[in-house]
Amino acid sequence: MGVDLNVALGADAGKQFADVTHHVEYGAYLQSKCIALGIQQAKLPLAKYIVDDFGNFDPKHPEPLPSSFNLPPDSGSARGGRGARGGGQ
């Protein structure tokens, strides 16, 4: 799936990474979609926990593209969570 994803993104493939190893939010979002799709395709017991509105993600036609990606605010920090970067006490 990763190869299909990178081919589909073409010149935008590099926008998934902060460097050659670490993903930025956009890349992490796409990778998580690939993982969830793989869980569903393999019919793993874990698949029952994937929300119904997950959608029909296709690594050959990834949506959203980098230009239209918006990371929603971290709802955990509003509830006293650890914030966007994890941090600790």
Side-chain angles (χ1 to χ4, degrees), residues 2 5 8 12 16 19 27 29-30 32-33 36 39 41-44 57 62 64 69 76 78 83-85 88:
L5 185 62
D12 284 339
Q16 299 177 77
D19 54 33
Y29 175 80
L30 293 177
S32 65
K33 290 276 213 172
I39 290 168
Q41 288 175 341
K43 299 183 183 351
L44 297 176
F57 179 72
F69 178 72
R85 299 289 295 175

Side-chain angles (χ1 to χ4, degrees), residues 1 28-59:
M1 280 188 228
Y29 175 80
L30 293 177
Q31 292 302 312
S32 65
K33 290 276 213 172
C34 288
I35 291 166
L37 179 61
I39 290 168
Q40 286 181 329
Q41 288 175 341
K43 299 183 183 351
L44 297 176
L46 184 61
K48 67 183 176 185
Y49 298 103
I50 297 174
V51 295
D52 291 337
D53 64 349
F54 170 69
N56 296 322
F57 179 72
D58 181 357

